[in-house]
Amino acid sequence: QVQLVESGGGSVQPGGSLRLSCAASGYTNSRVCMAWFRQAPGKEREFVSTIDNDARTSYADSVKGRFTISKDNAKNTLYLQMNGLKPEDTAMYYCAARSTEGFCYRTPAFFGYWGQGTQVTVSS
């Protein structure tokens, strides 16, 4: 049973930073695409970032240059370093994963495993 557990959310002022973590367990296949999505109240879940088996990354335009995705394979942990946070970054952030040898898609439907989410609030 694959489990994803996020942590690291919180409340920060605009311009601040947070680092989200996602601890993964239960994978039998090391070839995994992992991603971060977010969902604000009343809005659809939206893509934030992905990282594939070869550590190639992609970002939504809204976070490019401010957020950095990374993973520690030894710890089975995914990270999202968020700098220069803005009020519009306020959302529940979700970690997602899928075993795949191929391309890492940006749509929620591509991912079969999800964490419970961690709240990020940016306000003054």
Side-chain angles (χ1 to χ4, degrees), residues 37-56:
F37 287 82
R38 66 187 181 186
Q39 188 167 19
K43 295 187 177 182
E44 293 186 351
R45 191 165 296 190
E46 67 171 359
F47 162 76
V48 175
S49 182
T50 60
I51 186 166
D52 70 9
N53 297 302
D54 298 316
R56 290 172 297 197

Side-chain angles (χ1 to χ4, degrees), residues 19-50:
R19 188 196 197 199
L20 305 184
S21 298
C22 172
S25 62
Y27 264 103
T28 58
N29 183 354
S30 62
R31 305 291 288 176
V32 176
C33 170
M34 299 196 76
W36 290 99
F37 287 82
R38 66 187 181 186
Q39 188 167 19
K43 295 187 177 182
E44 293 186 351
R45 191 165 296 190
E46 67 171 359
F47 162 76
V48 175
S49 182
T50 60

Side-chain angles (χ1 to χ4, degrees), residues 4-6 21-24 34-37 45 78 93-97 113-118:
L4 303 174
V5 180
E6 301 98 331
S21 298
C22 172
M34 299 196 76
W36 290 99
F37 287 82
R45 191 165 296 190
L78 176 72
Y93 282 70
Y94 296 91
C95 169
Y113 300 104
W114 293 86
Q116 82 289 350
T118 186

Side-chain angles (χ1 to χ4, degrees), residues 41-111:
K43 295 187 177 182
E44 293 186 351
R45 191 165 296 190
E46 67 171 359
F47 162 76
V48 175
S49 182
T50 60
I51 186 166
D52 70 9
N53 297 302
D54 298 316
R56 290 172 297 197
T57 60
S58 67
Y59 297 93
D61 288 343
S62 60
V63 306
K64 199 172 293 183
R66 300 187 297 123
F67 291 10
T68 303
I69 191 172
S70 62
K71 60 180 179 177
D72 185 330
N73 290 327
K75 296 182 179 180
N76 291 325
T77 301
L78 176 72
Y79 301 101
L80 185 69
Q81 178 67 43
M82 305 187 294
N83 298 328
L85 283 161
K86 303 176 181 180
E88 51 263 45
D89 295 318
T90 295
M92 185 72 78
Y93 282 70
Y94 296 91
C95 169
R98 171 175 171 151
S99 294
T100 181
E101 293 285 347
F103 187 76
C104 236
Y105 289 90
R106 297 183 170 194
T107 58
F110 177 74
F111 295 89

